[in-house]
Structure formats: structure tokens, C-alpha cells
Amino acid sequence: MATVAVQSLISAPLQIPKITQFKIGICQLKVTTEKSANIFNARSLIQAAAEQGASLILLPEMWNCPYSTDLFAKFAEDFSDIDSAPSLLMLSEVASSLGVTIIGGSIPEKDAGHLYNSCPVFGPNGELKAKHRKIHLFDMGKPLPGEVQFKESDNISAGEKPTVVDTDFGRIGIGICHDIRFPELAMSYSARGAHLICYPGAFNMSTGATLWELEQRTRAVDNQLYVASCSPSRDSASSYMIWGHSTVVGPMGKIIATTGHEEAVLIAEIDYAAIQWTRESLPLESQKRNDIYQFVDLLRESLNS
């Protein structure tokens, strides 16, 4: 059995980013069965968000194809060759032309015979800054009443690393949909100095109504940071019915902005001073009982691993 390095997860000090107050744009897109139409629509909504003052823009999970496991391979793109990947090329071009940072939701990624549910991050110069592969795959056990059976692992391989990326808007942790259900991932991002965690997701009608808002507020308040989510709209083309309700949550768990289930551009103002105020008012970090329990990180190779 291979030996794995185990490290106690000591929180990194929260750094002051270049920009501490800004607008985030959440693009809750309608997804169709036509890839070119989805790319055109995404570009349009990104431009609309930028026109409303957003300088950090978040897209939904699986925005270039319907959320259907049998279609992922058809719509998949190679992240190592952006010039031949139309979805990625559009994100690169629009990020550069508008001077914005884009958390590119997720699209199917093909690599060495595997498919991944992957989130690209593009900086304002159009360069690919980071990529997060969904770590926790959504495999339903017994379907909930009214829901179809869904097993993501039948077609998608799981990612192996958490992702934090340094931007002008601070350190951002990335999770995709089912990743939000696992508090350990958010805890590791907080300990690595994240100001914001972005979760592109596509919760269904049952889990959405019960858990979508609850999970976001819990991740935010437990880690005293901002959480932003982006879903496709409910009328997207899929037998998998999507909840919608993209949201931005502050470090005290308060909903700053949210939308319904229709296609929409949501704009919210973020001020990182709220993180510092929250942590000074409720200093949870200094109150932790490391003599009783400790959180460990098995894969902490670097802050950008």
C-alpha cells in the first residue's frame, strides 16, 4: 500500500487581494441541444453581465450541453487544445475582449480516453488560469419520488485534486455541483485562504428544493467566506429537471442575491471587508480545539494543487 503524506491543515492568513469590492455576474443560462447556440447564448449573457458592471463572471454546470450522461462525450472538448475547443475558445476571447475573469461553469472534458466534468477559469488576458475536475460524482441510490435514475460515474471520471486559483478578486475555491455536499472540501479551501467559493451546479427538483440554498448558506457561514452558485435555467433541454435559483451568499450566511428558475443574469456586490468583520466578531479559528480534533489534508502539494 502506498504511503500518503498527512498534514495538519493550518489555516493560511487571509491575504488582501488587489480588488476587495466588485460586482459578480451569475449567468443562469438556458441550455439547448445545439452546442453552437449554447456558446452564442453564453457569450451574450457574459456580455450582458459585463455591461452591468460585473468584473467576475460565473457560468453554470454543463452549460454547453444538456445535462444528460449520454450526451457528454458528443459535446466534450480537449482542454489542452483551446483553438479546437469552441466553448473554451469563446471564453478565452470574451474574457480578453471584456477584461473580465470568468469562472467557466463546467463542460465535458475529454482527456486520454476519459471524460471529466471540468470547470475552466480564464483571466482577463484570456489565458486559462486553472481547471477543476469535479471530485464528487453524483450517483443516485434509490431515486427520489418523481426523479429519474442518474449515475454520473457511468460516463464521467472523478477529479483527484481540489482547486484554488489566485485572481485579482482574491483566492477562489472551485467546486462543481455535488462537491458542495462535502464540507471537507470547503474547509480545505477556507484553510488555504479562499475569500470566495464558486459552485456551478445543476441540482434537480428534489435536491434543489431541499438542499440547494441550505448547502450554500452552510458552507458560507461555517467557513466565514462568500459562496456563489450558478445553475442552468429550468427550461434547459434535458429529461433531468433542473432547480435553478443561482445565488450569492455572504460570510454570515445571508443571501445577498438570488434568482428564480428562468434564464437570467444576476448581479451582486461583494465586499471582502465583510469577511474580516465576521471573523473578528466571531473568531472561530482561534476557538477551535486542536487538542481534541484536527482536520488533515492528504493531498496538499501546493496552494494551487
Side-chain angles (χ1 to χ4, degrees):
M1 182 176 179
T3 301
V4 178
V6 179
Q7 296 184 6
S8 227
L9 195 56
I10 301 172
S11 294
L14 193 68
Q15 301 296 318
I16 299 176
K18 180 179 179 180
I19 300 172
T20 61
Q21 293 178 282
F22 59 93
K23 290 182 179 179
I24 184 171
I26 312 292
C27 299
Q28 184 166 289
L29 300 168
K30 178 179 179 179
V31 180
T32 74
T33 56
E34 296 295 328
K35 185 175 184 178
S36 59
N38 296 332
I39 294 172
F40 178 84
N41 193 33
R43 178 189 288 270
S44 297
L45 265 67
I46 292 169
Q47 291 173 333
E51 288 170 0
Q52 296 178 62
S55 46
L56 177 67
I57 297 172
L58 174 62
L59 298 185
E61 182 183 22
M62 291 297 181
W63 61 266
N64 78 341
C65 71
Y67 198 80
S68 181
T69 55
D70 61 323
L71 294 176
F72 291 163
K74 177 183 177 182
F75 287 78
E77 298 184 7
D78 182 351
F79 280 49
S80 67
D81 186 9
I82 291 178
D83 288 339
S84 66
S87 304
L88 299 175
L89 185 60
M90 180 277 290
L91 294 179
S92 174
E93 290 176 347
V94 76
S96 177
S97 65
L98 297 175
V100 297
T101 296
I102 298 176
I103 311 296
S106 80
I107 65 171
E109 176 197 3
K110 57 183 178 181
D111 181 34
H114 292 274
L115 291 175
Y116 299 92
N117 186 343
S118 299
C119 173
V121 179
F122 286 92
N125 59 0
E127 291 185 1
L128 181 66
K129 292 179 64 69
K131 174 184 70 178
H132 176 75
R133 290 173 169 171
K134 187 175 184 178
I135 297 173
H136 306 92
L137 301 182
F138 181 52
D139 288 355
M140 296 179 68
K142 183 178 179 181
L144 297 170
E147 296 293 344
V148 296
Q149 183 68 41
F150 195 91
K151 191 174 183 182
E152 197 172 24
S153 65
D154 282 346
N155 303 81
I156 297 290
S157 297
E160 299 294 336
K161 294 181 179 181
T163 305
V164 288
V165 55
D166 287 319
T167 73
D168 289 344
F169 310 96
R171 179 162 286 168
I172 300 175
I174 310 293
I176 299 174
C177 201
H178 200 45
D179 284 341
I180 199 173
R181 296 297 309 275
F182 298 87
E184 297 86 353
L185 183 61
M187 290 166 65
S188 73
Y189 287 158
S190 177
R192 295 175 185 212
H195 302 83
L196 166 69
I197 305 177
C198 289
Y199 291 104
F203 271 44
N204 62 37
M205 296 295 288
S206 296
T207 58
T210 306
L211 299 171
W212 181 237
E213 178 184 312
L214 174 65
E215 295 285 357
Q216 293 176 70
R217 297 183 69 186
T218 301
R219 299 296 158 260
V221 75
D222 280 355
N223 296 289
Q224 299 180 309
L225 44 64
Y226 281 90
V227 165
S229 69
C230 187
S231 169
S233 68
R234 189 175 301 171
D235 56 355
S236 296
S238 177
S239 59
Y240 179 94
M241 190 65 70
I242 294 170
W243 177 243
H245 297 275
S246 302
T247 303
V248 178
V249 183
M252 283 291 284
K254 179 181 178 181
I255 294 177
I256 297 171
T258 190
T259 189
H261 61 79
E262 305 88 356
E263 183 172 83
V265 174
L266 180 69
I267 304 294
E269 294 190 6
I270 286 180
D271 184 352
Y272 287 151
I275 299 177
Q276 193 67 30
W277 181 89
T278 299
R279 294 182 180 186
E280 290 176 354
S281 299
L282 299 168
L284 302 184
E285 185 63 33
S286 65
Q287 296 169 358
K288 288 180 179 178
R289 290 293 304 273
N290 291 322
D291 59 322
I292 298 175
Y293 52 78
Q294 290 189 15
F295 187 74
V296 297
D297 190 341
L298 300 178
L299 295 176
R300 192 168 186 177
E301 299 168 353
S302 71
L303 287 176
N304 291 313
S305 65

